Amino acid sequence: MFLRLANQHRQFVQDLVMNLQALATVLERRGYLASCYTCGGQMTSASFMVSLGDNHLIRFLVSDYGITWTEMRDDRELMKLEGAEAISQLQELANLVKNQINPADYRPVIARHS
C-alpha cells in the first residue's frame, strides 16, 4: 500500500510541475515576467515565479517535501500557504489567466466571518 501511495505522490508532483511550466509559458506570452525552473529531467520539484508588477511577486514551490505559495510585495511576505490551500490559490491565478483577467488588477474579496 505505501509503495502505491509513494508512486501516486510522485505522479502528482510531476503533473503539478508540468502544469506550472505551462502556466509560466502562458503568463510570459501575456507579457508577465514568469519562470518555472526544475531540477533534472525527472520533474520531481519546481520553482515557479511570476511578477505581477509594482514589486508584487508570487512564488510557488513544489517538491517531495511540500508545496508552498508565497505572495510578496515590496520584499514583504503578504501571504504564505501550504499544501491544498497553496494549490487552490494557484488555481485562482490560473482561472484569472484563463478568463483573461489581468492578475495585477485582481483584488480578492475577503469573506467576513461572523
Side-chain angles (χ1 to χ4, degrees):
M1 173 179 77
F2 294 109
L3 291 176
R4 179 182 54 82
L5 291 172
N7 285 331
Q8 286 176 344
H9 180 74
R10 278 188 210 87
Q11 185 61 52
F12 166 77
V13 169
Q14 288 174 349
D15 289 347
L16 188 52
V17 170
M18 284 191 298
N19 283 291
L20 288 171
Q21 290 174 324
L23 181 58
T25 299
V26 170
L27 285 166
E28 283 180 324
R29 289 181 184 157
R30 299 242 173 116
Y32 289 93
L33 295 174
S35 63
C36 183
Y37 297 101
T38 62
C39 295
Q42 295 179 349
M43 297 180 28
T44 58
S45 64
S47 173
F48 168 87
M49 296 179 81
V50 60
S51 173
L52 300 179
D54 296 330
N55 293 321
H56 190 187
L57 179 70
I58 303 294
R59 181 178 62 213
F60 188 90
L61 302 173
V62 60
S63 72
D64 278 343
Y65 302 108
I67 297 168
T68 59
W69 162 285
T70 307
E71 187 169 351
M72 296 174 288
R73 187 179 296 265
D74 297 321
D75 295 327
R76 289 188 163 154
E77 190 175 288
L78 299 175
M79 176 172 49
K80 185 170 188 171
L81 303 171
E82 296 180 343
E85 290 178 335
I87 294 170
S88 293
Q89 196 66 29
L90 184 65
Q91 180 63 58
E92 189 171 329
L93 176 63
N95 288 342
L96 293 174
V97 171
K98 179 180 172 184
N99 294 318
Q100 298 186 354
I101 297 170
N102 185 349
D105 294 335
Y106 176 70
R107 299 290 180 255
V109 176
I110 299 172
R112 291 184 175 205
H113 299 286
S114 36

